[in-house]
Structures are given as C-alpha cells and as structure tokens.
Amino acid sequence: MNSTKRAALFLTTCFALFPSMAYANIIWPGLIVTNCYWSWLPIISLGFIFEAAILRWRLVPSAKKALLISLAANAFSSTIGIFALFLGTFSLATVEYKITGRETVFGGYGGTIGVMFAGTTFFEVLVTRVIWKYPLKRTFPAFALGNLLSYGVVVIDLFFLGGPRQYY
C-alpha cells in the first residue's frame, strides 16, 4: 500500500471513529449529528429494522439475507458516510453562506438530513450492487424506501421526541 492510500485510510478512520475532531469552532447540525453518532444507536437500530424489512419485502427472498445485506450496507454507509456527511454538508453550507451571507437550507437540520439520506442511499446501493450484483432498478427503490423510513424515525426523534441524547 503506497503512502497516499495509507494517508487516505488513516484520515477516513480518524473521521469515522473520532467525528468530534471535525469541530471548527462553528455550530452546525452536521457536527451535532456526527458527534452524537453513538448516542443515536437505539434510533438507528429501529431504522435498521425497518430497512431490513423493506429489503425482505422488495429485494431478497430470505429474512437472514435481508439482515445481512442491510447490516453490510449500513456498516459501509455509516463508516464512509460520517466522512462524506462532514465534507458534503460543510461544503454546501460554506457555498450557501458565501452566496447568501447567512445559513439557510444546508446550514440547518433539513439540509443535513437531505445530504445524509442521499449519501447513505447511494453508498448502500453501491455496496449491494458490488457484492450481491442486484440490478439497480431493484436495489435503488428498496434502499430509498428503507432509508426514507429510517430517516423518518430520526426526524421524529429529532423534532418531536427531544433529539440526540447522551447515553454515555
């Protein structure tokens, strides 16, 4: 492995395992979400169950395989997604701030959740297509619907039940 690949792997691991190191003296919902990653585990687990059920209904003939696919896809998307979430939403918020002079859509929870939804759906479809070779026209709708339910749980918790809690 060359030094560029080692550096990329190191940075990805740091951002995935220590998302609070991404703080840059700003208040921004993407940092709140990445910093509370482990405290959202019960909420994420409920969304994971919804997603596995959708995969079982729309894509996979067995419940075991649906759970395996959902677990693998979510593990990949959450590990890479923390890094992509930070870069994606921070970039969009920065551009928006430069244009409008204030934080609006992407500086708030709505933009963060939208970027997270699009990113995780993309990564989960990618993993499923690479490993299990399911066609795009079957995998994308299944993961989009599963993530819609998963993020619905997060939105309900965030806006109606008190938001991310500190379980540690």
Side-chain angles (χ1 to χ4, degrees):
M1 183 181 303
N2 66 27
S3 63
T4 305
K5 288 182 182 176
R6 276 195 302 266
L9 181 63
F10 174 74
L11 287 174
T12 302
T13 302
C14 285
F15 275 107
L17 297 176
F18 307 107
S20 62
M21 71 184 275
Y23 278 102
N25 294 325
I26 60 172
I27 301 298
W28 167 62
L31 295 177
I32 293 169
V33 171
T34 57
N35 196 41
C36 297
Y37 180 72
W38 296 111
S39 67
W40 283 49
L41 227 40
I43 301 301
I44 292 170
S45 298
L46 183 58
F48 170 73
I49 291 168
F50 286 151
E51 189 170 299
I54 295 293
L55 291 176
R56 168 67 180 91
W57 173 56
R58 299 288 299 161
L59 188 65
V60 184
S62 78
K64 257 185 179 175
K65 191 169 184 180
L67 284 170
L68 176 65
I69 289 172
S70 187
L71 178 65
N74 279 289
F76 181 77
S77 74
S78 64
T79 302
I80 299 302
I82 290 287
F83 183 67
L85 165 70
F86 175 75
L87 289 179
T89 56
F90 185 73
S91 299
L92 289 170
T94 302
V95 168
E96 188 172 34
Y97 184 77
K98 292 283 185 188
I99 292 170
T100 65
R102 58 187 171 90
E103 290 185 32
T104 55
V105 176
F106 290 107
Y109 284 110
T112 300
I113 291 168
V115 169
M116 288 171 59
F117 173 79
T120 56
T121 301
F122 170 77
F123 288 129
E124 290 170 3
V125 168
L126 177 71
V127 166
T128 305
R129 293 212 9 92
V130 167
I131 296 174
W132 287 279
K133 312 288 190 238
Y134 285 109
L136 183 63
K137 67 182 177 182
R138 288 184 57 210
T139 54
F140 180 76
F143 277 107
L145 182 58
N147 279 322
L148 187 64
L149 290 176
S150 296
Y151 281 94
V153 170
V154 171
V155 167
I156 289 169
D157 180 60
L158 184 63
F159 292 108
F160 300 107
L161 301 178
R165 289 171 259 318
Q166 302 297 321
Y167 291 108
Y168 48 87

